[in-house]
Amino acid sequence: MAEKSFKYIILGGGVSAGYAAKEFANQGVQPGELAVISKEAVAPYERPALSKGYLFPEGAARLPGFHCCVGSGGEKLLPESYKQKGIELILSTEIVKADLSAKSLVSATGDVFKYQTLIIATGSTVLRLTDFGVKGADSKNILYLREIDDADKLVEAIKAKKGGKAVVVGGGYIGLELSAVLRINNLDVTMVFPEPWCMPRLFTADIAAFYETYYTNKGVKIIKGTVASGFTAQPNGEVKEVQLKDGRTLEADIVIVGVGAKPLTSLFKGQVEEDKGGIKTDAFFKTSVPDVYAVGDVATFPLKMYGDVRRVEHVDHSRKSAEQAVKAIKAAEGGAAVEEYDYL
């Protein structure tokens, strides 16, 4: 077992991790002070590309084209960029134990990483229908989208089932974006969701009606007010049909599920204060544990406009919260302060 020590560790490999690393570089981090640890095999990238350009039939986006931090018009941090900036990029490394009191992280292979300051940027993981015991939800070609490996599986399925039938379960961001890109790939698309209209958290009925009409005119069939209650598979294990709670059955060659996500906080249970499903922070993303910060999807932070603490799952917040935390860390080291996070 190897042991390495760093002044700062960013745990995570998504948008927040990339933008935190960029801000550390901007603040003049010294070679060897900072490590980014990710279970993914690639350097941090702009996740929104996965449900858009990555799935296009022509001119598809591919790495290194959408590494952080091109999403906000900034410098692209290629894998070699981290080395040039003196940042150690530790990929394909899953952390299975975090001891915040001992300031140590342990990987699946037993390697130990010590830190002085930790930024938790673990993001979210998708909710899976198998988590809820949905019958047949483990059939082949029932897919999810969160990481680049998921997107690669979806690309292969689209190619293999060209012109086939796709059922999208969920009417949020992922459901809408994947329904659109599947139609662009000339699949027969049906979108199913339980709410009275799409994107109910953000859209009024009128705004939703506009989008639903637009999608319908593009050939997407929309079924509202019901959920997928089970799946049947072909003899080869691939999904064949989707059973809906209202009794209807839909043929399917591919099923893509986008029913939400949950913050990845399990490593820190019982060690740090939580609220509303996330790790509670102040306006500088400091947690209840000294020298531990949490950013992006996992942070429950003061949202001034509501006078409340909330979690926000959005790429813009993932970027800005990461930058805020690093600025606060570096300012505190110099005896200075930054303004409180005031997110809109």
Side-chain angles (χ1 to χ4, degrees):
M1 294 194 302
E3 181 172 311
K4 287 188 171 184
S5 294
F6 300 92
K7 187 173 184 180
Y8 315 103
I9 288 180
I10 301 167
L11 181 57
V15 173
S16 286
Y19 281 76
K22 180 197 76 168
E23 188 58 35
F24 268 119
N26 291 346
Q27 296 277 344
V29 70
Q30 295 302 303
E33 285 188 332
L34 172 63
V36 180
I37 303 176
S38 172
K39 68 181 178 63
E40 293 192 70
V42 297
Y45 54 90
E46 305 279 357
R47 289 200 196 280
L50 298 183
S51 57
K52 304 178 182 71
Y54 201 85
L55 303 176
F56 286 175
E58 295 176 16
R62 287 292 179 270
L63 291 176
F66 57 95
H67 277 300
C68 295
C69 298
V70 297
S72 59
E75 178 190 359
K76 188 190 302 178
L77 289 179
L78 301 170
E80 56 268 28
S81 306
Y82 291 82
K83 191 171 185 179
Q84 291 164 4
K85 296 176 185 300
I87 300 168
E88 187 154 346
L89 187 59
I90 303 169
L91 302 176
S92 302
T93 301
E94 184 179 6
I95 298 300
V96 295
K97 183 183 178 185
D99 187 337
L100 300 185
S101 59
K103 294 193 168 188
S104 73
L105 307 172
V106 182
S107 76
T109 55
D111 293 329
V112 177
F113 302 94
K114 295 277 194 176
Y115 61 83
Q116 294 177 37
T117 300
L118 175 67
I119 296 181
I120 300 169
T122 45
S124 296
T125 185
V126 294
L127 293 174
R128 296 178 180 273
L129 296 182
T130 47
D131 299 338
F132 306 103
V134 177
K135 185 180 176 184
D138 56 352
S139 302
K140 294 176 186 174
N141 284 346
I142 297 181
L143 304 172
Y144 299 82
L145 185 63
R146 182 68 191 179
E147 299 177 354
I148 202 161
D149 286 351
D150 301 323
D152 286 336
K153 289 174 187 173
L154 184 49
V155 168
E156 289 308 309
I158 289 170
K159 288 177 181 174
K161 303 298 180 182
K162 197 169 184 180
K165 295 180 182 295
V167 175
V168 176
V169 179
Y173 274 121
I174 293 295
L176 284 166
E177 292 182 353
L178 290 181
S179 294
V181 84
L182 289 166
R183 278 300 298 139
I184 292 170
N185 279 279
N186 292 318
L187 275 86
D188 182 328
V189 181
T190 303
M191 183 165 56
V192 178
F193 50 88
E195 297 87 0
W197 60 76
C198 67
M199 290 273 277
R201 283 191 306 152
L202 292 179
F203 288 174
T204 64
D206 286 348
I207 293 172
F210 167 83
Y211 278 98
E212 288 173 13
T213 299
Y214 188 88
Y215 271 58
T216 300
N217 289 340
K218 292 288 187 180
V220 176
K221 294 179 278 294
I222 297 174
I223 299 175
K224 297 182 271 189
T226 191
V227 295
S229 59
F231 302 88
T232 55
Q234 308 204 44
N236 66 0
E238 291 185 355
V239 67
K240 178 184 178 184
E241 291 176 331
V242 183
Q243 280 97 41
L244 303 183
K245 195 174 182 180
D246 66 7
R248 280 183 277 186
T249 299
L250 305 174
E251 289 181 49
D253 299 299
I254 304 172
V255 175
I256 305 156
V257 181
V259 293
K262 58 184 177 184
L264 279 167
T265 60
S266 56
L267 281 172
F268 314 102
K269 290 288 180 191
Q271 301 186 73
V272 66
E273 189 177 347
E274 295 186 48
D275 196 359
K276 296 183 179 176
I279 297 172
K280 190 174 182 180
T281 77
D282 65 10
F284 309 100
F285 296 98
K286 291 165 65 176
T287 72
S288 60
V289 177
D291 304 317
V292 177
Y293 294 70
V295 296
D297 285 8
V298 296
T300 300
F301 65 98
L303 199 55
K304 283 189 174 184
M305 67 181 291
Y306 295 116
D308 191 12
V309 293
R310 297 195 181 186
R311 271 195 333 105
V312 174
E313 292 180 4
H314 197 285
V315 64
D316 181 63
H317 164 66
S318 292
R319 294 167 179 151
K320 290 175 179 172
S321 59
E323 292 169 347
Q324 169 78 352
V326 176
K327 286 175 182 174
I329 290 166
K330 297 301 286 182
E333 289 175 357
V338 295
E339 289 187 10
E340 292 186 344
Y341 193 63
D342 187 8
Y343 187 66
L344 176 60

